[in-house]
Amino acid sequence: MRLSKKERQANLLETIKENPFITDEELAERFGVSVQTIRLDRMELSIPELRERIKNVAEKSFEDEVKSLPIEEVIGEIIDIELDESAISIFDVKAEHVFVRNRIARGHHLFAQANSLAVAVINDDLALTAKSTIRFTRPVKEGERVVAKAKVIHIKDEKDRTMVEVQSFVGGELVFRGDFEMYRSKKKEKDEA
């Protein structure tokens, strides 16, 4: 049974409030209407598009948390971060990120997303990549959304370096993996149990 416009808009507002990262396509499917109808509903309700919602959430939530670099220098949009633990960012591959002839993303963009996330997750004023080992597992195409997930493996090794693993996915498919050895200016020891 289809909802009335008023009911749909009320549910739309609530759905976006619960999950600001939901796409117009997902909303259209959920409510059984066209993407254009969702866009019109959002305009009437003064709800910004997904990219703007993500940017607003990221700026409000993480501006004071990320210490190692300004939030605007992170490649992609950080959607979750717990310093010295984990972080997640999303990166939408657009025309300017791909090779013209085959529409495949240039590798340095995927590396930059992963590397900047590895830097951002470090709880220090200075964090630099000392070494990285990376692997691209499949080409990423224009229009795809890359979700990068960083996880701090351990904070201090024999070289006083922090190890960060980053995996990037399109949908549920792994497209990139990187192990980053990070230099930090302050040594922080994790509680050893």
Side-chain angles (χ1 to χ4, degrees):
M1 186 169 118
R2 256 194 148 110
L3 298 172
S4 71
K5 180 178 178 179
K6 191 174 183 176
E7 291 170 323
R8 184 183 64 242
Q9 286 185 346
N11 286 343
L12 177 72
L13 201 53
E14 191 59 36
T15 301
I16 291 175
K17 192 176 185 180
E18 288 172 13
N19 178 9
F21 307 116
I22 193 166
T23 66
D24 286 347
E25 290 77 12
E26 291 168 327
L27 289 164
E29 190 174 315
R30 178 182 233 165
F31 293 110
V33 295
S34 70
V35 172
Q36 186 61 31
T37 299
I38 294 297
R39 289 182 181 145
L40 290 170
D41 285 348
R42 277 195 306 94
M43 283 177 29
E44 284 181 32
L45 296 168
S46 299
I47 299 171
E49 65 180 24
L50 176 65
R51 176 167 278 291
E52 201 56 41
R53 292 194 309 267
I54 291 169
K55 191 175 178 182
N56 291 340
V57 169
E59 285 173 358
K60 287 177 193 165
S61 301
F62 308 123
E63 193 167 12
D64 296 330
E65 285 193 46
V66 176
K67 294 181 178 184
S68 54
L69 75 167
I71 193 84
E72 63 272 3
E73 290 183 14
V74 175
I75 306 301
E77 305 282 344
I78 292 180
I79 60 171
D80 188 33
I81 191 162
E82 209 172 309
L83 294 177
D84 281 339
E85 293 290 331
S86 63
I88 300 172
S89 74
I90 60 173
F91 175 67
D92 291 317
V93 179
K94 296 183 176 176
E96 63 266 21
H97 305 122
V98 300
F99 293 107
V100 174
R101 108 184 125 84
N102 56 18
R103 312 316 291 167
I104 292 173
R106 293 182 175 98
H108 65 271
H109 293 294
L110 300 180
F111 174 80
Q113 178 191 20
N115 187 64
S116 65
L117 194 60
V119 171
V121 77
I122 303 295
N123 187 11
D124 199 327
D125 294 333
L126 176 67
L128 303 169
T129 305
K131 179 180 172 184
S132 67
T133 305
I134 63 169
R135 182 178 309 131
F136 296 92
T137 57
R138 87 140 167 91
V140 175
K141 296 186 165 90
E142 181 179 356
E144 291 185 315
R145 170 170 285 164
V146 181
V147 178
K149 299 178 179 183
K151 181 178 179 186
V152 175
I153 304 303
H154 57 85
I155 293 187
K156 187 176 176 186
D157 66 9
E158 64 278 355
K159 297 179 195 171
D160 291 330
R161 302 282 166 85
T162 296
M163 301 302 294
V164 179
E165 174 189 272
V166 180
Q167 293 183 332
S168 299
F169 301 87
V170 170
E173 187 179 1
L174 182 71
V175 296
F176 174 93
R177 178 190 161 93
D179 295 308
F180 295 86
E181 186 177 299
M182 307 301 294
Y183 166 83
R184 61 195 302 151
S185 60
K186 299 178 217 157
K187 277 64 168 188
K188 178 182 176 188
E189 294 189 41
K190 225 176 183 180
D191 297 330
E192 293 177 10

